[in-house]
């Protein structure tokens, strides 16, 4: 009786251990590929609890999330003979778990190697300007190159991005000098254009002042007012003698009695006297040296 009880207990323990070992839980982000006596089953185990045949089935979990894989920096020579160092990143996911497990030994390592060789190929076919400014097209080309071998493995390439392009120091200095020269050219063109526009406006202002002589005097006075507003400044204005003659002539014409500060109305005669002296005045002799 004791022997039979022990046997029953052993069978129960064996059944409990078998059930415990055959019970599996597949998470939401995974799919289970079952190998039964070494052969892959067509049915993929979905998320949730699942049962396996003890000592017969083996299950391998495959992550279905989008994976991020950095591509190591690759040295290459562009089509215009410039040595560069380029790295990238690949985004992919598994859409067929059975193919990803059966068709390739390690799909992550395979994708990494294909990405490195494709990146080197793109570097050799592209020019430096394309690597620096036309990355969208290069990213699409890399994606096509990776998607072709990855499709039979059950891998879907989401996208490929070029991260950084490292240039030699000599090339960086050359590009810096080129950028400085371009900026200097733009600066000179803008300055020349401003001077040309200013000259046109000054020409129009000169024409307007020529038509209205008083405008020049008003502008001169306005300039004097603006300069006088500044402190600690001395303003020196050259006063033309012709303008003094004009004021004296105008005052003498209004009142002949106003003296003209020794400025004769006309040239002296041969004997040194002034012709046509004003009323009430005497002719005087102009001494000669």
């Amino acid at each position: 009786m004791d022997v039979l009880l022990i046997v029953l207990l052993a069978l129960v323990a064996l059944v409990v251990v078998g059930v415990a070992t055959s019970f599996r839980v597949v998470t939401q982000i995974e799919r289970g590929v079952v190998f039964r006596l070494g052969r892959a089953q067509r049915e993929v185990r979905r998320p949730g609890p699942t049962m396996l045949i003890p000592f017969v089935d083996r299950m391998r979990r495959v992550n279905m999330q989008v994976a991020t894989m950095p591509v190591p920096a690759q040295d290459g020579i562009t089509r215009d003979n410039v040595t560069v160092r380029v790295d990238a990143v690949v985004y992919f996911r598994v859409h067929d778990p059975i193919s990803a497990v059966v068709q390739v030994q390690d799909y992550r390592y395979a994708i990494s190697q294909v990405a490195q060789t494709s990146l080197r190929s793109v570097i050799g076919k592209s020019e430096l300007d394309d690597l620096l400014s036309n990355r969208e097209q290069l990213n699409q080309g890399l994606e096509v190159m990776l998607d072709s071998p990855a499709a039979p493995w059950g891998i879907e390439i989401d996208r490929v991005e070029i991260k950084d392009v490292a240039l030699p120091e000599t090339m960086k200095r050359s590009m810096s000098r080129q950028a400085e020269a371009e900026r200097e050219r733009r600066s000179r063109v803008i300055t020349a254009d401003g001077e040309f526009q200013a000259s046109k406006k000054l020409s129009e202002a000169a024409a307007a002042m020529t038509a209205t002589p008083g405008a020049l005097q008003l502008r001169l006075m306005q300039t004097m007012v603006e300069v006088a507003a500044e402190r600690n400044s001395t303003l020196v204005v050259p006063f033309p003698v012709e303008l003094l003659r004009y004021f004296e002539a105008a005052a003498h014409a209004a009142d002949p009695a106003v003296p003209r500060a020794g400025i004769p109305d006309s040239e002296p005669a041969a004997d040194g006297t002034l012709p046509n002296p004003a009323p009430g005045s005497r002719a005087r002799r102009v001494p000669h040296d």
Side-chain angles (χ1 to χ4, degrees):
M1 188 65 180
D2 294 337
V3 176
L4 181 59
L5 181 60
I6 294 174
V7 172
L8 289 176
L9 291 176
L11 290 176
V12 171
L14 184 62
V15 170
V16 171
V17 172
V19 171
T21 56
S22 63
F23 183 78
R24 297 287 188 275
V25 176
V26 180
T27 61
Q28 183 67 36
I29 63 175
E30 296 176 338
R31 298 294 184 270
V33 179
V34 177
F35 291 87
R36 181 166 295 167
L37 297 177
R39 300 191 58 169
Q41 302 298 303
R42 294 183 178 274
E43 181 182 359
V44 177
R45 301 301 171 93
R46 311 293 295 180
T50 183
M51 296 296 295
L52 303 177
I53 300 176
F55 309 109
V56 176
D57 292 344
R58 295 289 184 272
M59 187 178 69
R60 182 173 176 181
R61 293 180 173 87
V62 180
N63 194 321
M64 303 297 293
Q65 291 178 305
V66 175
T68 304
M69 175 181 293
V71 181
Q74 302 297 311
D75 295 325
I77 300 177
T78 62
R79 192 166 60 181
D80 50 353
N81 298 325
V82 178
T83 303
V84 294
R85 187 178 181 86
V86 183
D87 58 354
V89 59
V90 180
Y91 301 89
F92 67 94
R93 69 181 187 88
V94 179
H95 69 88
D96 187 357
I98 297 178
S99 299
V101 174
V102 175
Q103 299 296 331
V104 61
Q105 182 178 6
D106 187 351
Y107 63 88
R108 295 184 63 89
Y109 180 76
I111 292 295
S112 176
Q113 295 301 312
V114 172
Q116 295 181 35
T117 56
S118 300
L119 184 58
R120 291 180 183 177
S121 178
V122 168
I123 294 174
K125 295 179 181 178
S126 305
E127 295 184 355
L128 180 61
D129 293 339
D130 295 333
L131 290 175
L132 296 176
S133 61
N134 194 17
R135 294 190 181 182
E136 291 295 334
Q137 185 176 358
L138 296 180
N139 293 338
Q140 294 177 2
L142 274 173
E143 183 177 349
V144 172
M145 296 177 67
L146 288 175
D147 191 62
S148 178
W153 302 337
I155 307 298
E156 179 182 356
I157 304 298
D158 189 25
R159 60 179 175 173
V160 183
E161 298 286 344
I162 295 178
K163 293 175 58 178
D164 187 26
V165 179
L167 301 176
E169 293 298 329
T170 55
M171 181 58 63
K172 291 182 180 179
R173 288 194 293 268
S174 300
M175 295 177 67
S176 176
R177 289 194 298 268
Q178 179 183 0
E180 292 177 359
E182 178 65 20
R183 293 292 181 182
E184 183 68 20
R185 183 188 68 84
R186 293 182 183 178
S187 175
R188 293 184 178 181
V189 169
I190 293 174
T191 303
D193 184 63
E195 292 179 355
F196 176 71
Q197 296 179 8
S199 65
K200 292 179 63 177
K201 295 298 182 181
L202 289 175
S203 177
E204 295 176 1
M209 290 182 180
T210 302
T212 308
L216 183 61
Q217 299 298 328
L218 293 176
R219 183 58 185 164
L220 177 61
M221 294 179 182
Q222 180 66 27
T223 304
M224 294 174 60
V225 170
E226 293 177 357
V227 174
E230 299 291 336
R231 296 183 178 180
N232 300 327
S233 61
T234 302
L235 178 63
V236 179
V237 179
F239 206 78
V241 179
E242 290 77 6
L243 188 60
L244 291 175
R245 293 179 183 272
Y246 173 76
F247 289 144
E248 291 177 356
H252 183 72
D255 186 3
V258 176
R260 301 187 62 183
I263 301 176
D265 293 336
S266 61
E267 293 295 331
D271 57 353
T273 61
L274 294 175
N276 300 327
S281 62
R282 295 180 300 175
R284 57 187 178 87
R285 182 182 300 275
V286 178
H288 295 279
D289 292 337

